[in-house]
Amino acid sequence: MTARAPSEILDTLEQAGYEAYYVGGCVRDRLLGRPVHDWDITTSAMPEVVLALFGHCVPTGIAHGTVTVLLEDTGAEVTTFRTDGSYHDGRHPDRVTFVRSLREDQARRDFTVNAMAMDRWGRIYDAFGGQADLDRRLLRAVGDPETRFREDALRMLRALRFSAQLDFTVESETLAAIGRCAGLARALSAERVRDELEKTLLSPRPETVAEMAGLGLLTAFGLTESRDLSALAVLPAKAAVRWAGLCRAYPSLDLEALRLPKRPAQDAMAAARIPYPGDRLGWKRLLSAEGETRGRIAAALAHQTETVEEILASGECLWLKDLAVTGADFPALRGPALGRRLHALLAYVLEHPEANIRETLLHIPLDSQGSPAVEFSANFANRS
Ligand code: ATP
Ligand code: MG
């Protein structure tokens, strides 16, 4: 059958004689009254059964028991009850064992608030005290925290990431175990760490990244101490801006080592290093030299987005492509000399937008360096 809503997946599985529950983040977010952004379902049915029952599905992680059932506007991940072994590649458990009971499946989950299940009638299956921890706003490991962090060190970063997203506290024994196990985070793949950091940076408490650094979870990336990240929370919640803000506080951070795609990584790192100009002309020069992407990020960091958007909307010439003359207008000049002339004219036009007229630029008097003479006034453009 073709399911349209996640509840139909539960219905279909149950009618076929299997157990099926919502589990993990969707149950937690429902109980907290937060929007649910993805649906995880856990079931006693084996993956082949799930594949056979639903028309539109993808065997996304069949070896780990996961089938994605496509719904009208999203998908739901349907995973067979299982336990996990260790995560040696730091991404997937090496070996999973399918198990019979919901409770065993709940026991493999990271935190009590992520280990609750809900059936189609809304009944909650809370084997590890998740509801009490939701009420106390605590992130507590399921089982012995140290054992759980040794199985998968990412859970330490997840604890802090969820604390930032949900405004929860990491329970004291869980936090103490993070302190003891932090060194294990060195072995994690950069991609997994990047994903946790980005979610934290985009959360209402991005300064939690400093806490991760202070706990020793980010030493592999050169972040070895907590620093003041209080400026981040007031920045727009856009990944490029928040990453750049982090780079401002930790200038040695290499976003490419964190496996951000090359262009966004370089843009964020470059924008973080740009000194903020003091006036509109300074922002124009910055946009001209650094380009729109980096200019916008720098503006966000400096709380000058309005200034920069006004400049970009003004239609004033910022780049050679907008200059009223091109190389073809200077047939006597070649190579570097031509480049210098065009850039000199651009620099002039940045200061005097009204001079961006072909006739004006062709006849502009030059000083001995080939730049428009300083005494050349903007009014020239109006007179000519
Ligand atoms: P969100 O999707 O909002 O980030 P989530 O709780 O749904 O939060 P996911 O990463 O989507 O988190 O994982 C779904 C569920 O799978 C979790 O709620 C948790 O029960 C379990 N889980 C995910 N990753 C781990 C892990 N590394 N160790 C143990 N359990 C995990
Ligand atoms: Mg999820």
Side-chain angles (χ1 to χ4, degrees), residues 9 37-39 68-71 73-77:
I9 302 177
H37 60 85
D38 55 25
W39 297 94
T68 302
V69 177
L70 302 174
L71 302 170
D73 47 2
T74 86
E77 303 233 306

Coordinates of all heavy atoms in Angstrom, one line a residue, residues 9 37-39 68-71 73-77:
I9 N 1.4 4.0 8.4 CA 2.4 3.0 8.5 C 2.2 2.1 9.7 O 2.3 0.9 9.6 CB 3.8 3.7 8.5 CG1 4.0 4.6 7.3 CG2 4.9 2.6 8.6 CD1 5.4 5.3 7.3
H37 N 10.0 17.1 12.9 CA 10.5 17.3 11.6 C 10.9 16.0 10.9 O 11.0 16.0 9.7 CB 11.7 18.3 11.5 CG 12.9 17.8 12.4 ND1 13.8 16.9 11.9 CD2 13.2 18.0 13.7 CE1 14.7 16.7 12.9 NE2 14.3 17.3 13.9
D38 N 11.0 14.9 11.6 CA 11.1 13.6 10.9 C 10.6 12.5 11.8 O 10.6 12.6 13.0 CB 12.5 13.4 10.4 CG 13.6 13.4 11.4 OD1 13.4 13.2 12.6 OD2 14.8 13.7 11.0
W39 N 10.1 11.5 11.1 CA 9.4 10.4 11.8 C 10.2 9.2 11.8 O 10.7 8.7 10.8 CB 8.1 10.1 11.1 CG 7.1 11.3 11.1 CD1 7.0 12.3 10.2 CD2 6.3 11.7 12.2 NE1 6.1 13.2 10.6 CE2 5.6 12.8 11.8 CE3 5.9 11.1 13.5 CZ2 4.7 13.5 12.7 CZ3 5.0 11.7 14.3 CH2 4.4 12.9 13.9
T68 N 13.2 3.4 4.3 CA 12.5 4.7 4.3 C 11.2 4.5 3.5 O 11.2 4.1 2.4 CB 13.3 5.8 3.7 OG1 14.5 5.9 4.4 CG2 12.6 7.1 3.7
V69 N 10.1 4.7 4.2 CA 8.8 4.7 3.5 C 8.4 6.1 3.1 O 8.4 7.0 3.9 CB 7.7 4.1 4.5 CG1 6.3 4.1 3.8 CG2 8.1 2.7 4.9
L70 N 8.2 6.3 1.8 CA 7.9 7.6 1.3 C 6.5 8.0 1.5 O 5.6 7.2 1.2 CB 8.3 7.7 -0.2 CG 9.8 7.3 -0.5 CD1 10.0 7.3 -2.0 CD2 10.7 8.3 0.2
L71 N 6.3 9.2 2.1 CA 4.9 9.7 2.3 C 4.6 10.8 1.4 O 5.5 11.1 0.6 CB 4.8 10.2 3.8 CG 5.2 9.1 4.9 CD1 5.3 9.8 6.2 CD2 4.1 8.0 4.9
D73 N 4.5 14.1 1.7 CA 5.4 15.2 1.6 C 6.8 14.9 2.3 O 7.7 15.7 2.2 CB 4.8 16.5 2.1 CG 4.1 16.2 3.5 OD1 4.1 15.1 4.0 OD2 3.5 17.2 4.0
T74 N 6.9 13.8 3.0 CA 8.2 13.5 3.6 C 8.4 12.0 3.5 O 7.8 11.3 2.7 CB 8.3 13.9 5.1 OG1 7.7 12.9 5.9 CG2 7.5 15.2 5.4
G75 N 9.3 11.5 4.4 CA 9.5 10.1 4.5 C 9.5 9.7 5.9 O 9.7 10.5 6.8
A76 N 9.3 8.4 6.2 CA 9.5 8.0 7.6 C 10.5 6.8 7.6 O 10.5 6.0 6.7 CB 8.1 7.5 8.1
E77 N 11.4 6.8 8.6 CA 12.4 5.8 8.6 C 11.8 4.7 9.5 O 11.5 4.9 10.7 CB 13.7 6.3 9.3 CG 14.3 7.4 8.6 CD 15.7 7.2 8.2 OE1 16.5 6.9 9.2 OE2 16.1 7.3 7.0

